[in-house]
Amino acid sequence: MPQLEVAGAALTYDDEGPRDGDGVPLVFVHGWTANRHRWDHQVAHFARKRRVVRLDLRGHGESGGAGVKTVAELAADLLALLDHLEIERCVLVGHSMGGMISQTVALSHPERVERMVLVNSIGRMTYSRGRGLLMGVSTLVPFKLFVAANIQRAFAPGYPREEIRAYVKASADTPREVVMTLYGAMRAFDVLDRVGEIQAPTLMIHGYHDIQLPVQQMLRMAKAYPDATVRILDAGHELPVEKPAELTAAIDAFVGGKPA
């Protein structure tokens, strides 16, 4: 389990697959309160034929470190890892907050991003009334209850409750300071007026039932991208685990240069 010390955080990461495999490395970036294992299905598939990297963001999973106030600081962590692994160019795959990090890298260092996949992500954080109320009372309810409410809302109706409980438990293990500080970072995130600068071909794949980051917000972003492909699946916000095979197939087609 390798780790890299970056700005006061020990970042845990996986670096798998053949170095001389097909294409540039795939780099997977998870979302808020999640960890690198959200990508288990995708990594198992792609690591057979190309280099694959994933990490636990600071304060998440098996990584240490406190929360930071901006998404740009998380992007700096990711760039430090890419430098450490001597990855000059890659395909970034980001889920939710991970997609925000990916867009930040694509804007600040376009030469590093060959293609990009945004999974249930947006360019400007805008909450529904229900989500806004939930976040507004976050300091008034027990932390684990707050986390449980957020995670349960992330899955489409009908997803097995036993599995949701496991994800709730994993998310509640993320320190409260990290969760709430990064909530502020996401709330301040806004690159919508700049995404037209992103030249890397981008796949935007979203769950139709996503009430955390509604699909309408993604479509608004897609219009501004010079080269965007849009896919909408019958799922909620947690596409990597709700529809793992369908997501993997869409990414595979996209990075292979075929229509997604």
Side-chain angles (χ1 to χ4, degrees):
M1 184 181 65
Q3 288 189 321
L4 175 67
E5 290 285 340
V6 179
L11 302 180
T12 299
Y13 65 92
D14 298 318
D15 183 2
E16 304 177 43
R19 297 297 184 271
D20 57 351
D22 300 338
V24 301
L26 291 176
V27 178
F28 290 89
V29 190
H30 68 76
W32 187 52
T33 77
N35 59 58
R36 70 191 193 280
H37 292 291
R38 278 294 199 276
W39 303 109
D40 281 352
H41 188 281
Q42 291 73 40
V43 169
H45 173 81
F46 287 107
R48 295 197 298 265
K49 54 186 178 181
R50 65 195 297 167
R51 188 179 184 184
V52 175
V53 173
R54 57 179 171 173
L55 78 158
D56 284 336
L57 296 170
R58 60 172 56 234
H60 291 70
E62 296 178 281
S63 288
V68 290
K69 295 182 178 180
T70 65
V71 170
E73 292 170 272
L74 297 175
D77 287 347
L78 176 59
L79 285 164
L81 178 61
L82 296 181
D83 289 344
H84 173 71
L85 298 176
E86 299 182 339
I87 295 175
E88 295 296 326
R89 195 166 172 82
C90 66
V91 175
L92 285 178
V93 185
H95 173 237
S96 192
M97 186 177 74
M100 299 176 190
I101 296 167
S102 299
Q103 290 176 86
T104 302
V105 171
L107 285 166
S108 63
H109 292 78
E111 75 284 357
R112 308 292 293 266
V113 184
E114 181 175 283
R115 288 183 172 234
M116 185 164 59
V117 181
L118 303 178
V119 184
N120 291 93
S121 194
I122 55 177
R124 174 182 293 160
M125 197 58 142
T126 305
Y127 289 132
S128 66
R129 178 176 295 181
R131 186 82 186 278
L133 288 171
L134 179 62
M135 299 307 297
V137 302
S138 62
T139 59
L140 305 177
V141 299
F143 177 62
K144 289 187 177 181
L145 179 60
F146 161 71
V147 170
N150 268 284
I151 300 303
Q152 287 168 4
R153 285 168 49 88
F155 290 86
Y159 195 78
R161 291 186 177 183
E162 299 78 13
E163 295 188 32
I164 293 175
R165 281 195 288 268
Y167 290 116
V168 167
K169 183 180 183 304
S171 291
D173 288 339
T174 309
R176 179 171 187 150
E177 178 273 333
V178 172
V179 171
M180 301 313 298
T181 304
L182 289 181
Y183 160 64
M186 287 192 296
R187 186 157 192 172
F189 176 78
D190 185 356
V191 298
L192 191 59
D193 293 336
R194 294 192 59 206
V195 295
E197 302 170 26
I198 296 177
Q199 298 298 316
T202 300
L203 171 63
M204 300 178 189
I205 185 162
H206 219 87
Y208 177 80
H209 303 285
D210 187 350
I211 61 174
Q212 305 283 57
L213 304 179
V215 67
Q216 292 86 351
Q217 294 181 26
M218 179 275 291
L219 294 173
R220 180 186 178 191
M221 176 178 69
K223 292 179 181 179
Y225 264 74
D227 188 354
T229 301
V230 173
R231 286 286 306 275
I232 299 175
L233 299 183
D234 184 16
H237 185 68
E238 291 290 350
L239 257 178
V241 293
E242 289 182 73
K243 298 287 183 178
E246 291 181 44
L247 175 59
T248 298
I251 297 171
D252 203 359
F254 181 70
V255 300
K258 304 172 187 176

